[in-house]
C-alpha cells in the first residue's frame, strides 16, 4: 500500500506529463517532450525514427548547433571576470589581496560534481542558451547546476521557483545511494533491498506544502514508498535558500524559458524536409534509363552488353531525360531558411566569423554586428547580475568562512611582478617590526648601520619566503564590493590600449604624479574606473621606502619635528596673480 505522501507525488508526476502549456510547440506540447526534443536535435536525432516511409534512412542536417555555439561564445564569463575593488576612501591593497585569494580559492575549490568555479561557469554558459533555463542549487556547501531533465513541476507556473511544488528525480546505484548523508536512523540497506530495481533506486526530492505532511515542506522519499516511516528526510526550508534560476527568454504561461534551439525548431524541420526531398530526387536523377521501339533489344544495357558491342536495332535507342530540373528552387529554399535562422537566432556572418555573401554592403554588415552585439551584451549582463547574486549569497560567505582564520598564500601562485609587489607590501611592515623588536630588546633605537643590517635581513627573509601568512580575521573589516566585468575584454581592447597610452603620456609629462599622495589617489581612481587595476602600474623604490618608513616611525615614537620628505625633485610652481 502506498504512503499518502507518495500518492501526492505520483499525482504531481502524472499531471506533469499531461499538462500542455499554451505556447509550447504543438509537436512538443509538454515540458518533458520539449526538453527531450532539444536533446534529440542536439545529437542530430529524429524523434520519430530514422527511416522514411520507403525504408530509406532520413538525413538530419543540424542547424541549431552553430547559433548556440555563437551564443555561448559571446556570453562567456570566466573567473578572471570577477574583480574585487576597494570602496571609496579604502586602500586598494587589501582588496587586491582579497581578490587574488578569492580567485585562487575558486580555482582549487570543487563542488559535489567535481567542478571548479571556472568549470561551473562554463557549464552555465553551455546550458543556458541551449535549454533556455538554468536552475542552480546549493547543498552541503556546494553550488552546482541541476539537470533540467530531472525537474518535475507545475508546467504552467510563472517560473520553477514559483511552482506550487518542485521535485528533483535522482537515479542512483548502490554505492552512490549508500554514500548519501541521510539521518543516522535511516537503514540504507533496508531501503535499498525494499525499493531498488535492476541495480538502481529512484529517489525524489520534493519541495512544497502537503496537507498529509503538515509542519514540513521539504522531503526526500524513495519511489513507490509504501510507508511514511520510509521517508528518508524531512525539514522546513525556504526554497530561495537552496535554488536560484535564470531564463534565457521568458514565455508567458509556462515555467521554463526558451533557448536558441527551441526558437529554431521550425527551421530545423524545414531544413530536414528540404534535404530529404532533394535526396529522394537524387535517387531518380542518379539513374540512367533509355527508350526504344525495338522489342528485340536488350532489356538492360548495363548488364546485357559488353564494352565495345555493336548493337543492331530496328529503332533508335534514346536516353530518357531524368536530370534534376529543380535545383534553383532548392537553392532558393536553403538561402531563405539560412537568412531566417540568422534573423531568429541573431547569428549573422559578422558575429560567426564567416565572410558575408558577395555584394553585401559594408553598412549592412556593421549594422548586423551592432545588433547582435547589443543582443548578446544584454544577455551577458543578465548572466553577470545573476552570478553576482550567486557570489554574494552563496560563494563569498563560504570563502570568508574558510579564510577568516590565519591562512597562507603560496608565493608560487603569483606572477613575477605580483611577487615583487607582495614583497614591497610586506617589507615595510616586516622592517618596522624588526626595528621595534630591536629597540625593545636593546633599549635604544638602531643606528643607521644597524638599520641597514636589519633591512638586508628583512629582504633576504622575504626572498626566501615560500608563502605569505594572512593573520586571523584579516578580511573581517575590509570594506569591499564585488564587481563582475561584463564587457568582453577582447571587444574592449581598443579602449584599454587607448587608456594605457594616455597613462604613458601622463607619466612621461609628469613623473612626480605617482609620488604626490593627492595626485596619486586621483590617478589611481581614474584607472580603477577605466577597468585597470591601479596596483598593476604602481612605481615605487622599496629600498628607499624601508629606511624612510623607519625614520618616520622613529620620529612618531620619539617626538620632534615631522620627518623630512624625500628629496625627489618637483616641478617649480609658477606664481599666479590673485585678483582682489
Amino acid at each position: 500500500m502506498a504512503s499518502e505522501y507518495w500518492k501526492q507525488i505520483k499525482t504531481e508526476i502524472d499531471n506533469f506529463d499531461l499538462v500542455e502549456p499554451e505556447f509550447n510547440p504543438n509537436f512538443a506540447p509538454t515540458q518533458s517532450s520539449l526538453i527531450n526534443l532539444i536533446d534529440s536535435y542536439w545529437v542530430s536525432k529524429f524523434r520519430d525514427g530514422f527511416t522514411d516511409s520507403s525504408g530509406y534512412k532520413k538525413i538530419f542536417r543540424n542547424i541549431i548547433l552553430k547559433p548556440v555555439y555563437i551564443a555561448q561564445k559571446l556570453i562567456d564569463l570566466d573567473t578572471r571576470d570577477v574583480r574585487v575593488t576597494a570602496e571609496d576612501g579604502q586602500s586598494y591593497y587589501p582588496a587586491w589581496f582579497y581578490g587574488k585569494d578569492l580567485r585562487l580559492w575558486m580555482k582549487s575549490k570543487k563542488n559535489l560534481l567535481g567542478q571548479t568555479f571556472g568549470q561551473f561557469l562554463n557549464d552555465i554558459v553551455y546550458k543556458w542558451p541551449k535549454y533556455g533555463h538554468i536552475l542552480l542549487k546549493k547543498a552541503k556547501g556546494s553550488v552546482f547546476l541541476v539537470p533540467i531533465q530531472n525537474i518535475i513541476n507545475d508546467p504552467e507556473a510563472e517560473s520553477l521557483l514559483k511552482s506550487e511544488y518542485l521535485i528533483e528525480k535522482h537515479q542512483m546505484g548502490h554505492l552512490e545511494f549508500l554514500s548519501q548523508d541521510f539521518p543516522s536512523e535511516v537503514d540504507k540497506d533496508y531501503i535499498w533491498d525494499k525499493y531498488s530495481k535492476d541495480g538502481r533506486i529512484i529517489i525524489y526530492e520534493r519541495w512544497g506544502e502537503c496537507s498529509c505532511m503538515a509542519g514540513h515542506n521539504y522531503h526526500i522519499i524513495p519511489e513507490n514508498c509504501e510507508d511514511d516511516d520510509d521517508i528518508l528526510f524531512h525539514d522546513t526550508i525556504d526554497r530561495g535558500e537552496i535554488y536560484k534560476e535564470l531564463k534565457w527568454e521568458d514565455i508567458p504561461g509556462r515555467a521554463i524559458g526558451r533557448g536558441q534551439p527551441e526558437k529554431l525548431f521550425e527551421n530545423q524541420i524545414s531544413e530536414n524536409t528540404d534535404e530529404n526531398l532533394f535526396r529522394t530526387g537524387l535517387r531518380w536523377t542518379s539513374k540512367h534509363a533509355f527508350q526504344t521501339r525495338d522489342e528485340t533489344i536488350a532489356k538492360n544495357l548495363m548488364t546485357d552488353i559488353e564494352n565495345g558491342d555493336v548493337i543492331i536495332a530496328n529503332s533508335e535507342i534514346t536516353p530518357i531525360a531524368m536530370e534534376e530540373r529543380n535545383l534553383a528552387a532548392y537553392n532558393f529554399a536553403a538561402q531563405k531558411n539560412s537568412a531566417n535562422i540568422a534573423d531568429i537566432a541573431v547569428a549573422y556572418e559578422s558575429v560567426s566569423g564567416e565572410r558575408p555573401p558577395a555584394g553585401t554592403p559594408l553598412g549592412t554588415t556593421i549594422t548586423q554586428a551592432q545588433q547582435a552585439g547589443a543582443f548578446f551584451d544584454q544577455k551577458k549582463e543578465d548572466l553577470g547580475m545573476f552570478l553576482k547574486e550567486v557570489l554574494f549569497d552563496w560563494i563569498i560567505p563560504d570563502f570568508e568562512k574558510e579564510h577568516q582564520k590565519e591562512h597562507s598564500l603560496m608565493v608560487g601562485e603569483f606572477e613575477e611582478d605580483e611577487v615583487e609587489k607582495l614583497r614591497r607590501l610586506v617589507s615595510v611592515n616586516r622592517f618596522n617590526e624588526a626595528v621595534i623588536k630591536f629597540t625593545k630588546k636593546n633599549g635604544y633605537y638602531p643606528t643607521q648601520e644597524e638599520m641597514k643590517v636589519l633591512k638586508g635581513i628583512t629582504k633576504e627573509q622575504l626572498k626566501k619566503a615560500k608563502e605569505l601568512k594572512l593573520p586571523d580575521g584579516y578580511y573581517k573589516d575590509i570594506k569591499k564590493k564585488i564587481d563582475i566585468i561584463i564587457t568582453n575584454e577582447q571587444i574592449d581592447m581598443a579602449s584599454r590600449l587607448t587608456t594605457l597610452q594616455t597613462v604613458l603620456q601622463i607619466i612621461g609629462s609628469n613623473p612626480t604624479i605617482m609620488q604626490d599622495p593627492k595626485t596619486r589617489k586621483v590617478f589611481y581612481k581614474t584607472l580603477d574606473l577605466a577597468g585597470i587595476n591601479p596596483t598593476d602600474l604602481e612605481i615605487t623604490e622599496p629600498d628607499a621606502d624601508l629606511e624612510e618608513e623607519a625614520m618616520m616611525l622613529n620620529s612618531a615614537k620619539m617626538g620632534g619635528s615631522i620627518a623630512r620628505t624625500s628629496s625627489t625633485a618637483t616641478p617649480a610652481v609658477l606664481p599666479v596673480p590673485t585678483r582682489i
Side-chain angles (χ1 to χ4, degrees):
M1 180 178 179
S3 72
E4 291 300 318
Y5 193 68
W6 170 248
K7 289 180 181 179
Q8 175 71 23
I9 293 180
K10 186 68 170 61
T11 300
E12 292 167 348
I13 293 175
D14 293 340
N15 290 337
F16 176 73
D17 292 331
L18 295 175
V19 174
E20 300 180 359
E22 179 181 359
F23 293 107
N24 272 18
N26 56 5
F27 45 82
T30 65
Q31 181 174 313
S32 56
S33 64
L34 177 65
I35 295 173
N36 181 64
L37 189 59
I38 293 174
D39 288 332
S40 297
Y41 278 11
W42 190 257
V43 294
S44 303
K45 180 180 178 181
F46 287 99
R47 183 192 61 184
D48 302 326
F50 59 91
T51 57
D52 61 17
S53 57
S54 300
Y56 290 102
K57 183 182 181 303
K58 293 188 292 186
I59 304 300
F60 194 107
R61 285 196 50 157
N62 202 312
I63 54 92
I64 67 173
L65 295 179
K66 179 181 172 182
V68 176
Y69 290 153
I70 291 174
Q72 292 166 352
K73 173 181 176 293
L74 295 179
I75 66 169
D76 188 29
L77 288 174
D78 197 70
T79 53
R80 66 176 179 270
D81 297 321
V82 180
R83 188 180 63 166
V84 180
T85 60
E87 287 281 13
D88 292 339
Q90 301 295 316
S91 172
Y92 290 99
Y93 296 110
W96 179 72
F97 269 117
Y98 188 96
K100 187 66 178 180
D101 204 359
L102 176 62
R103 281 192 291 272
L104 291 175
W105 181 77
M106 291 191 297
K107 182 179 178 181
S108 59
K109 181 74 172 181
K110 294 185 177 182
N111 61 15
L112 291 176
L113 302 181
Q115 298 172 321
T116 62
F117 188 75
Q119 293 170 326
F120 168 68
L121 288 182
N122 291 339
D123 201 16
I124 290 176
V125 169
Y126 175 77
K127 292 180 179 176
W128 186 37
K130 177 181 177 182
Y131 294 107
H133 205 111
I134 51 175
L135 181 67
L136 304 188
K137 181 180 181 181
K138 184 177 183 183
K140 302 178 182 178
S142 174
V143 180
F144 52 91
L145 197 61
V146 179
I148 198 71
Q149 296 88 341
N150 294 352
I151 297 297
I152 299 170
N153 57 281
D154 177 6
E156 294 182 320
E158 185 177 345
S159 66
L160 293 180
L161 297 188
K162 293 183 179 180
S163 172
E164 184 177 348
Y165 58 90
L166 184 64
I167 303 172
E168 278 190 68
K169 181 180 179 180
H170 306 276
Q171 294 193 37
M172 303 180 185
H174 192 201
L175 293 179
E176 184 181 0
F177 176 73
L178 294 179
S179 67
Q180 298 302 306
D181 188 20
F182 296 127
S184 57
E185 59 268 19
V186 174
D187 188 341
K188 297 180 184 179
D189 291 328
Y190 167 78
I191 296 296
W192 175 265
D193 292 339
K194 187 174 181 179
Y195 295 107
S196 64
K197 183 179 180 180
D198 299 328
R200 309 288 292 178
I201 188 171
I202 298 178
I203 303 296
Y204 290 93
E205 183 180 2
R206 181 187 184 273
W207 188 100
E209 302 294 339
C210 180
S211 58
C212 61
M213 283 291 180
H216 298 101
N217 63 358
Y218 176 77
H219 298 81
I220 301 178
I221 182 174
E223 187 177 48
N224 298 320
C225 183
E226 299 176 357
D227 193 325
D228 288 341
D229 291 336
D230 291 341
I231 294 177
L232 303 174
F233 182 76
H234 60 80
D235 200 353
T236 301
I237 299 177
D238 182 0
R239 193 187 309 191
E241 294 180 358
I242 58 176
Y243 292 110
K244 292 184 184 297
E245 65 177 335
L246 180 65
K247 296 181 180 181
W248 178 266
E249 181 180 323
D250 192 18
I251 301 296
R254 75 183 208 188
I256 63 172
R258 181 172 73 159
Q260 299 288 77
E262 185 183 349
K263 292 195 291 185
L264 298 174
F265 278 167
E266 293 288 353
N267 298 87
Q268 182 64 73
I269 294 172
S270 176
E271 186 75 16
N272 289 341
T273 300
D274 293 345
E275 180 65 22
N276 283 283
L277 284 174
F278 177 69
R279 296 296 180 104
T280 301
L282 287 180
R283 295 194 194 106
W284 288 100
T285 59
S286 61
K287 300 179 185 298
H288 295 277
F290 301 86
Q291 60 185 353
T292 182
R293 290 187 291 272
D294 188 348
E295 297 180 357
T296 63
I297 205 67
K299 296 297 183 183
N300 191 320
L301 297 181
M302 297 292 293
T303 58
D304 295 347
I305 65 172
E306 296 290 339
N307 188 26
D309 281 355
V310 177
I311 301 175
I312 300 175
N314 296 325
S315 179
E316 68 278 2
I317 301 174
T318 59
I320 300 175
M322 301 184 67
E323 65 272 8
E324 179 61 67
R325 301 180 183 183
N326 210 25
L327 288 178
Y330 284 122
N331 290 334
F332 175 74
Q335 292 174 4
K336 188 168 66 170
N337 197 34
S338 296
N340 188 240
I341 291 170
D343 290 338
I344 292 176
V346 200
Y348 302 110
E349 291 88 352
S350 55
V351 294
S352 64
E354 297 179 86
R355 177 176 294 179
T360 304
L362 178 60
T364 301
T365 303
I366 295 175
T367 302
Q368 290 176 346
Q370 291 174 343
Q371 290 176 347
F375 175 80
F376 288 110
D377 283 347
Q378 180 65 47
K379 293 300 180 184
K380 191 171 185 179
E381 184 177 355
D382 291 341
L383 180 59
M385 291 187 292
F386 176 72
L387 290 175
K388 186 183 294 187
E389 180 182 338
V390 173
L391 283 167
F392 272 122
D393 295 347
W394 289 348
I395 304 296
I396 299 298
D398 288 345
F399 165 75
E400 292 185 345
K401 187 183 300 183
E402 294 184 19
H403 289 74
Q404 280 299 333
K405 297 182 179 180
E406 181 182 12
H407 63 284
S408 300
L409 287 176
M410 301 302 296
V411 176
E413 296 287 352
F414 293 81
E415 301 292 339
E416 187 62 33
D417 60 331
E418 292 178 330
V419 172
E420 187 60 33
K421 188 186 304 181
L422 279 173
R423 289 170 179 162
R424 291 203 306 268
L425 291 174
V426 178
S427 60
V428 174
N429 183 56
R430 293 281 182 88
F431 180 63
N432 289 341
E433 290 178 353
V435 171
I436 294 173
K437 185 177 180 181
F438 180 93
T439 303
K440 289 181 177 180
K441 180 179 179 180
N442 297 285
Y444 67 91
Y445 192 77
T447 64
Q448 291 290 336
E449 293 298 324
E450 290 170 333
M451 287 177 61
K452 290 181 180 180
V453 173
L454 290 175
K455 181 171 62 175
I457 294 174
T458 301
K459 290 179 60 178
E460 289 300 318
Q461 289 175 343
L462 290 175
K463 287 182 179 180
K464 294 179 181 180
K466 301 297 183 184
E467 61 183 23
L468 173 65
K469 289 188 177 181
L470 298 180
D472 187 16
Y474 181 75
Y475 295 139
K476 183 177 181 181
D477 298 323
I478 290 182
K479 295 180 180 180
K480 59 186 178 302
K481 64 180 179 181
I482 308 298
D483 190 19
I484 305 293
I485 306 302
I486 301 300
T487 306
N488 193 313
E489 292 184 357
Q490 294 178 349
I491 297 177
D492 199 36
M493 188 61 69
S495 62
R496 286 178 175 270
L497 288 175
T498 301
T499 301
L500 291 175
Q501 290 172 354
T502 304
V503 169
L504 287 175
Q505 293 174 0
I506 293 175
I507 296 177
S509 61
N510 185 12
T512 60
I513 193 173
M514 301 292 288
Q515 299 176 9
D516 187 335
K518 294 181 180 180
T519 57
R520 183 172 64 231
K521 182 177 180 180
V522 175
F523 186 63
Y524 278 7
K525 189 63 179 177
T526 303
L527 293 176
D528 192 39
L529 292 174
I532 298 175
N533 189 348
T535 60
D536 290 340
L537 301 178
E538 182 170 9
I539 304 173
T540 60
E541 297 181 6
D543 292 343
D545 286 347
L546 284 175
E547 187 170 347
E548 183 177 343
E549 288 285 343
M551 293 296 293
M552 293 177 66
L553 178 66
N554 180 39
S555 299
K557 289 184 175 294
M558 300 299 184
S561 60
I562 300 176
R564 180 174 60 87
T565 57
S566 175
S567 59
T568 305
T570 57
V573 180
L574 297 176
V576 179
T578 303
R579 178 174 299 175
I580 299 177

